[in-house]
Amino acid sequence: MAVSRRTLLSTAALAPAAIALTGADPASAASPPGDVVGKISVGYQGWFACPGDGAPIGGWWHWSRDRFQPPSTGNTTIVSWPDVRDYTHTYPTAYPNLGGGGPAALFSSYDQQTVDVHFDWMKTYGIDTAALQRFNPFGDEGPTRDAMAQKVRAAAERTGRKFYVMYDISGWANMQSELKTDWTTKMSAHAASGAYARQNGKPVVCVWGFGFNDDNHNFSPAACLDVINWFKAQGCYVIGGVPTYWREGKNDSRAGYLDVYHALNMISPWMVGRTGDLAGLDWFYTNVNTADQADCNARGIDYQPCVLPGDLSAGHRRHGDFYWRSVYNMVRLGAQGLYVSMFDEFNEGNQIAKTAETAASVPAGTGIRALDEDGTFCSADYYLRITTDAGKMLKGQIGLTAVRPTSPTTGTTPPPQPTGDLARGRGTAASGWTQNYVPANVVDGDAGSYWESVNNAFPQWFQVDLGSAVTVGRVVLKLPASWGARTQTLAVAGSVDGAAFATLSGSAGRSFDPASANTVSVTFSAGTVRYLRVTFTANTGWPAGQLSTLEAYAN
């Protein structure tokens, strides 16, 4: 399996505090509009396979850590779950059933219908160009990646979209010679297609990875420059996927590579993982992107910054506001084009492809976040629809605006909420615990295991993350049935973001009695929450908070 770009994220500096939203003079384009200048491009992985799909690679490619075993909670490489309703063929997994019932099934990129669906989406939502990711094809991935290039070509030709090859040289030891061989013997043939992207009349090629400051990109400036100049000699327009701090040669960029970067026709700096909030995006606009654009303008280089929806698994999206700020900042900067990272990157949670809307559409108990993770229902195609408006703003079809014009819904009714115990198998936290009486015991389904807080130190709390914002109107609290009677003074609170909690049921003594199986039911006005927290201030049976089970129900 190719090295993930996620390994690069820890080297980048995070952005500090917010800055004011101020205007900037539009940049002068080095090139006229083409298939990447003045256009929305998306990174297209196309790297998921399933047993039985015919892919030469075999197994659950990019769905599982061990691709020869079905993906499951303990054998997975993804952090987001796709909405699969548009696919005619999906493949059952070893995940638990979805929260709303039904099997947890995934798509295969190798199915032509999957690629067709994706390119139909691109056409529907105004995405101009797809950058087909191509990692080292000289190993076992090669035949599958070759076939994917043909499938993408066919879909692009059918839908009127453009595509180009984007080589990712992560971990590719012999890239200097093998890139040339691969282009000459295989990929250059696709440039004959009317769907192959051209800029300034030249076929577009991107190489991602020059100059990154890590062991997976240990290529000399001379080797990188040789590859760029070779592609130019073949008549290509060359894009470089470069480090965030390429111009300064620090943090994620090696020093001494500026001549490499300046040899490119278009510079496209990486931004995934660099910040997770609006203040950070604004900081990069002021302190990094503005000077990048000026440097490119001065040298006649096109600038294609990376815009991104945010990592859904880390709660960065803010129901679309993060993505829109990313786009707005780069359009007001005057960028020549935009590169959306990514179209189908369910492995890193930054996909714009249709994604599960609520906990009813993700495997139960996995903690995978759905699009409504912050309490706002978003349609499965929401981030595709934002991309439509992003393209319109880039092309001047709508005015420049910092206010997101895209509604999270299109008048559709949210699907049914999951039923049954909403807490079973979910993520937990606590103020502390004693010995091996950890908080995970409370949602493990074992009535005999339990959580016990730090002793003699009230107040103490236990918390469960329900995975997404859902309606809750009742919690059931239990202790082991064999224990003696006791009264615990406790309160129940809820939150949609894990930070601001509202009281659902105030502090009161709750009697746990063996005659009623040591079970207490706490009801309250139903509301939307993602996090439930039980706070303990007293216990007549032991000087600690204690729970063996917490169940959460809609009513």
Side-chain angles (χ1 to χ4, degrees):
M1 182 181 293
V3 178
S4 169
R5 292 175 188 166
R6 184 173 286 277
T7 60
L8 303 174
L9 304 186
S10 62
T11 65
L14 294 179
I19 51 90
L21 294 180
T22 57
D25 293 332
S28 299
S31 298
D35 292 335
V36 287
V37 170
K39 297 298 193 294
I40 293 283
S41 300
V42 294
Y44 188 70
Q45 293 287 16
W47 64 2
F48 295 108
C50 303
D53 62 6
I57 189 93
W60 295 91
W61 191 40
H62 285 278
W63 289 126
S64 298
R65 285 197 307 271
D66 176 358
R67 77 171 192 261
F68 298 109
Q69 297 297 323
S72 64
T73 304
N75 181 40
T76 187
T77 64
I78 61 171
V79 297
S80 287
W81 194 263
D83 181 292
V84 299
R85 289 175 291 184
D86 287 356
Y87 306 112
T88 58
H89 191 189
T90 56
Y91 300 79
T93 69
Y95 278 99
N97 282 347
L98 302 180
L106 294 166
F107 66 82
S108 168
S109 303
Y110 200 77
D111 289 336
Q112 184 67 54
Q113 193 265 344
T114 296
V115 183
D116 288 343
V117 164
H118 289 167
F119 275 75
D120 285 340
W121 291 347
M122 293 182 203
K123 181 178 181 179
T124 298
Y125 298 100
I127 295 168
D128 303 294
T129 305
L132 175 62
Q133 311 298 289
R134 187 168 174 84
F135 290 78
N136 182 355
F138 287 86
D140 64 347
E141 296 185 1
T144 302
R145 292 196 179 276
D146 293 347
M148 286 306 305
Q150 186 58 52
K151 293 173 188 289
V152 164
R153 174 177 176 171
E157 290 173 346
R158 182 181 61 81
T159 57
R161 302 302 91 191
K162 302 295 183 179
F163 77 102
Y164 62 88
V165 173
M166 183 171 180
Y167 286 106
D168 188 319
I169 59 173
S170 301
W172 191 345
N174 299 319
M175 73 88 191
Q176 185 177 1
S177 61
E178 291 178 349
L179 270 177
K180 301 172 186 177
T181 299
D182 186 70
W183 178 257
T184 301
T185 61
K186 293 183 178 179
M187 292 298 103
S188 63
H190 293 296
S193 170
Y196 196 86
R198 304 183 79 84
Q199 183 61 49
N200 303 344
K202 301 176 180 181
V204 175
V205 174
C206 180
V207 182
W208 191 96
F210 288 153
F212 279 90
N213 189 21
D214 66 88
D215 292 340
N216 290 318
H217 302 85
N218 191 22
F219 311 110
S220 70
C224 299
L225 196 57
D226 172 68
V227 169
I228 294 170
N229 288 332
W230 183 86
F231 273 112
K232 285 184 170 180
Q234 309 310 301
C236 295
Y237 175 95
V238 185
I239 305 174
V242 302
T244 308
Y245 293 94
W246 62 273
R247 179 176 40 81
E248 298 175 89
K250 67 180 186 179
N251 296 340
D252 62 343
S253 177
R254 297 175 187 270
Y257 282 69
L258 201 54
D259 288 344
V260 173
Y261 305 139
H262 285 157
L264 295 161
N265 298 117
M266 175 177 268
I267 287 177
S268 186
W270 192 237
M271 267 296 290
V272 175
R274 299 321 191 231
T275 185
D277 56 35
L278 305 186
L281 291 171
D282 292 342
W283 184 91
F284 275 102
Y285 167 82
T286 296
N287 295 288
V288 176
N289 302 123
T290 298
D292 281 358
Q293 182 74 74
D295 184 281
C296 288
N297 290 349
R299 291 167 173 79
I301 300 170
D302 298 318
Y303 188 54
Q304 186 200 50
C306 178
V307 295
L308 55 159
D311 181 356
L312 179 61
S313 69
H316 293 166
R317 296 204 173 191
R318 304 173 67 92
H319 51 271
D321 287 347
F322 184 90
Y323 190 17
W324 191 255
R325 180 65 64 81
S326 177
V327 169
Y328 166 71
N329 280 350
M330 295 306 99
V331 173
R332 68 179 173 131
L333 182 71
Q336 277 72 55
L338 300 180
Y339 178 81
V340 179
S341 178
M342 302 281 287
F343 185 85
D344 54 343
E345 182 69 90
F346 292 94
N347 310 82
E348 295 182 354
N350 61 331
Q351 74 287 342
I352 62 168
K354 292 187 181 182
T355 299
E357 295 169 334
T358 72
S361 300
V362 302
T366 59
I368 295 175
R369 296 190 182 197
L371 290 180
D372 69 342
E373 52 91 22
D374 67 354
T376 300
F377 175 75
C378 304
S379 66
D381 69 343
Y382 179 41
Y383 288 87
L384 292 166
R385 291 189 292 107
I386 294 178
T387 307
T388 300
D389 289 333
K392 290 178 179 178
M393 189 165 68
L394 173 68
K395 297 166 187 175
Q397 296 169 358
I398 61 173
L400 179 69
T401 175
V403 179
R404 169 177 48 81
T406 322
S407 171
T409 64
T410 56
T412 58
T413 301
Q417 290 281 315
T419 58
D421 177 13
L422 305 174
R424 177 75 173 271
R426 295 294 184 178
T428 58
S431 53
W433 58 88
T434 298
Q435 299 176 29
N436 62 336
Y437 306 121
V438 296
N441 291 346
V442 177
V443 294
D444 65 1
D446 181 355
S449 67
Y450 62 95
W451 163 75
E452 182 175 302
S453 75
V454 175
N455 287 198
N456 299 301
F458 287 116
Q460 296 287 328
W461 55 264
F462 165 84
Q463 179 174 302
V464 60
D465 176 358
L466 302 179
S468 65
V470 293
T471 300
V472 178
R474 177 170 60 100
V475 296
V476 176
L477 309 176
K478 299 180 182 180
L479 293 175
S482 62
W483 285 16
R486 68 202 63 203
T487 297
Q488 297 195 81
T489 304
L490 58 88
V492 180
S495 170
V496 295
D497 60 6
F501 281 83
T503 299
L504 301 176
S505 181
S507 182
R510 320 282 179 164
S511 177
F512 292 82
D513 191 331
S516 56
N518 277 332
T519 298
V520 170
S521 183
V522 182
T523 59
F524 41 83
S525 297
T528 300
V529 299
R530 173 170 179 166
Y531 300 87
L532 286 172
R533 178 177 290 185
V534 183
T535 300
F536 300 79
T537 54
N539 183 343
T540 61
W542 197 259
Q546 296 173 312
L547 272 182
S548 65
T549 301
L550 182 150
E551 298 170 353
Y553 299 94
N555 49 51

